[in-house]
Amino acid sequence: MGFSARLLSVARLWTIVFALGVAVLSAPISTEAHVGSPDIYAEGNAGPYRLLVTIRPPLVIPGVAEIEVRGAQSGAAAGGASVISGIDIAPIPLTGEASKHPPVADAMKQSAQDSQFFTGALWIMASGSWQVRFTVDGSAGKGVLSIPVPATSSSTKGMEAGLSLLLGGFGLLLVVGAIGIVGAAARDAQLPAGASPSNAGRKRALIAMSVALVLMVAAVWFGNRWWQGEADNYARYVYKPLSMQATLGPNQVLTLKIQDPGWIKSRKIDDFVLDHDHLMHLYLIRQPGMDIVYHLHPEQIAPGEFQLAMPTVPASLFDLYADVVHATGFPETLVTRLNVPQIDGRPLAGDDAKGSVQPLSALRGAQPSCPVDPVAGPQFRLPDGYTMVWNNPVKKPAKTPQIFQFSLLDPNGKAPSDMMLYMGMQGHAAFVKDDGSVFAHVHPSGTVSMAALMMAGAQNQAAQATTGAMAAMQMPMGQPGDLPNSVGFPYGFPAVGAYRIFVQMKHGNTIETAGFDACAGTAKSQ
């Protein structure tokens, strides 16, 4: 093999090694915060204006959050319904001194086809708990609404294979070209015009090209080391979820121990705050049929340690999803799996509840893929004769915001006369993908926690813009019978596939749990 061929082989080898290094360093790092459902969906009032908000946080920090707002004509102005004419948005830390000094707001772009649809983008410059403050102007004056945004780097940005090959080819061309230029300069620079190079000149060119090759290889090697060091440094800021270990001890007591694998120094495991009157909301979902679900509330007995006296549970494998909220307003969902023996435990009491539905396999039979229409149907018959109805069971694309609406009917098909709030809200819902890759605990206000919403409202009060924020936090109040028998949950399926929706509503002292199946179609954007 000639020198040029050997040179080309060595250069190609280093180009391949460099491309592989880029590919490895650019591979996405998975996260279980919100368990596969990173986008934020919320509905609330900005003064007289009702807003449906979608926020798509950036995958890397610093990064750009994409924001969509659809306004509903929910109020009445002097001349008719309240119409939005403009929306300004600003990113503000949820807590701390910086939250008192909001930056200059950016104007959202109003759609030419739909005057009540707005789009915008904001830079999020640091990981942590943020809020997006919406200042709305329209026919009924101004209104303010703040939506919390937990922002983290959840992955590194990957490079497309085609771009990697293209850049690798250009890099190889540059390396070979640089070495060729050095050789030509050493061999031909001092030759008279038209003269042929001597053997000494060729030898001098060979030595110069060899030295250039060594220098180029060293530059590539040191450059790769530098790149890897930068990537390792950035990886320390990529979100690492809290881990949770579940064990069953004497007297059928479930113990949950939380450990921090390390992410940022400010994160703690002893700073959890109440969210709907509980420090932790724990869902147990039986696998693989997803046919039994428990919504339980363990008590904290020590920093990072929770316990719960188990109710009666059949022997089976359960997936555990535990929601907690830090004092900063940052929410986390902890995930683990536990083989549970037959437990003859305590009766369910307080806010704890259980539901049973048909197994997924029994509903789908031999059909492995997501069906075209909802499988379980729009009505769910409850054991006590009540019925929960899914009012709008329409298949929609993934990443499409919508309001999932459900109603509760008594055995006579009428609205119950004793409707009650369930943990301060008209209902709770859990959206779970059939493969367990998605879990989202959703409220009528959306995917954000009520604890974080209250913090955002407090910041709005400090800014003397309380009208919209307080309206967003208002819960239905009144005596039994005054409450509606229906509830809506703002959400959008994060990926194509089949989902099971567990919905809970309360009447009297009874917490009803129903299960519905949904299918998300081809996503608008991935």
Side-chain angles (χ1 to χ4, degrees):
M1 181 182 294
F3 177 80
S4 297
R6 290 195 299 271
L7 179 63
L8 186 62
S9 298
V10 172
R12 183 182 294 113
L13 175 62
W14 275 100
T15 301
I16 293 174
V17 170
F18 180 76
L20 288 175
V22 170
V24 170
L25 292 172
S26 300
I29 301 175
S30 63
T31 173
E32 294 184 349
H34 277 293
V35 191
S37 189
D39 294 343
I40 297 167
Y41 300 92
E43 187 179 33
N45 294 330
Y49 310 101
R50 189 72 173 170
L51 305 182
L52 175 59
V53 177
T54 302
I55 302 175
R56 307 190 193 281
L59 295 178
V60 296
I61 302 295
V64 177
E66 299 176 357
I67 304 171
E68 298 177 358
V69 174
R70 181 170 297 281
Q73 296 180 353
S74 59
S82 300
V83 178
I84 299 173
S85 59
I87 302 177
D88 292 337
I89 50 177
I92 309 170
L94 188 59
T95 59
E97 182 62 29
S99 64
K100 303 175 184 178
H101 308 284
V104 176
D106 295 335
M108 299 191 74
K109 181 179 180 181
Q110 191 173 28
S111 171
Q113 291 75 32
D114 183 353
S115 64
Q116 298 303 287
F117 182 70
F118 298 79
T119 58
L122 289 174
W123 274 94
I124 304 295
M125 301 305 297
S127 296
S129 295
W130 290 77
Q131 59 178 307
V132 174
R133 180 172 294 167
F134 299 83
T135 303
V136 184
D137 199 2
S139 59
K142 289 187 178 292
V144 177
L145 173 67
S146 288
I147 301 299
V149 178
T152 66
S153 293
S154 58
S155 68
T156 57
K157 276 287 188 180
M159 183 180 295
E160 296 180 358
L163 181 59
S164 297
L165 292 175
L166 179 63
L167 293 179
F170 282 135
L172 175 62
L173 182 63
L174 289 173
V175 169
V176 174
I179 294 174
I181 291 172
V182 170
R187 184 186 62 238
D188 302 331
Q190 297 180 354
L191 282 178
S196 298
S198 63
N199 290 334
R202 293 189 181 93
K203 184 177 180 180
R204 186 168 59 250
L206 183 61
I207 294 174
M209 293 173 69
S210 299
V211 172
L213 174 62
V214 172
L215 292 176
M216 293 298 292
V217 168
V220 171
W221 185 82
F222 281 109
N224 182 65
R225 290 294 301 270
W226 169 82
W227 177 265
Q228 185 170 355
E230 290 295 313
D232 291 342
N233 182 64
Y234 179 82
R236 289 199 292 268
Y237 296 96
V238 172
Y239 174 74
K240 299 176 181 63
L242 293 172
S243 62
M244 180 174 67
Q245 293 182 340
T247 57
L248 276 174
N251 301 319
Q252 310 298 346
V253 173
L254 175 68
T255 299
L256 303 172
K257 292 186 177 181
I258 300 173
Q259 295 180 334
D260 187 357
W263 173 41
I264 54 177
K265 294 181 179 180
S266 59
R267 182 166 68 174
K268 303 177 182 179
I269 59 174
D270 61 352
D271 67 338
F272 303 128
V273 296
L274 293 174
D275 190 35
H276 302 293
D277 301 324
H278 299 283
L279 291 179
M280 176 181 285
H281 293 262
L282 177 67
Y283 279 83
L284 280 71
I285 301 176
R286 185 161 78 166
Q287 296 297 335
M290 298 175 65
D291 55 337
I292 297 179
V293 58
Y294 293 85
H295 185 176
L296 307 173
H297 304 91
E299 297 290 338
Q300 183 171 306
I301 61 170
E305 187 170 351
F306 289 76
Q307 280 191 348
L308 172 75
M310 289 288 282
T312 298
V313 178
S316 192
L317 176 67
F318 283 85
D319 282 341
L320 279 63
Y321 302 92
D323 285 337
V324 294
V325 181
H326 293 274
T328 59
F330 191 89
E332 296 200 64
T333 299
L334 291 59
V335 182
T336 191
R337 177 168 281 190
L338 182 66
N339 270 306
V340 179
Q342 176 65 40
I343 296 177
D344 297 320
R346 62 175 175 86
L348 292 170
D351 293 327
D352 293 345
K354 172 193 174 183
S356 298
V357 300
Q358 284 185 286
L360 290 175
S361 58
L363 288 170
R364 294 182 184 153
Q367 186 179 21
S369 60
C370 184
V372 175
D373 298 314
V375 183
Q379 297 188 359
F380 187 92
R381 189 74 171 177
L382 295 156
D384 57 1
Y386 280 67
T387 301
M388 196 175 295
V389 181
W390 184 4
N391 299 325
N392 55 345
V394 179
K395 179 180 178 180
K396 290 193 176 183
K399 294 185 175 291
T400 301
Q402 56 184 305
I403 305 295
F404 293 80
Q405 297 176 336
F406 301 88
S407 297
L408 183 64
L409 303 176
D410 66 16
N412 296 320
K414 298 180 180 180
S417 60
D418 59 347
M419 291 298 300
M420 301 288 290
L421 296 178
Y422 179 37
M423 289 184 287
M425 311 201 85
Q426 289 173 255
H428 291 249
F431 291 75
V432 191
K433 202 168 187 291
D434 61 349
D435 61 1
S437 61
V438 173
F439 173 87
H441 183 183
V442 184
H443 311 123
S445 55
T447 57
V448 297
S449 70
M450 183 52 58
L453 271 178
M454 293 176 66
M455 294 178 190
Q459 293 300 334
N460 283 348
Q461 286 182 332
Q464 296 182 352
T466 62
T467 303
M470 295 306 294
M473 294 189 293
Q474 286 178 353
M475 295 294 104
M477 302 299 290
Q479 300 299 319
D482 296 338
L483 298 173
N485 69 320
S486 61
V487 61
F489 301 99
Y491 189 62
F493 296 119
V496 174
Y499 293 79
R500 175 152 280 181
I501 309 171
F502 297 103
V503 182
Q504 294 181 302
M505 301 177 70
K506 185 176 181 180
H507 65 93
N509 294 321
T510 303
I511 302 169
E512 304 283 13
T513 303
F516 301 90
D517 287 280
C519 182
T522 303
K524 289 183 177 180
S525 61
Q526 296 293 347

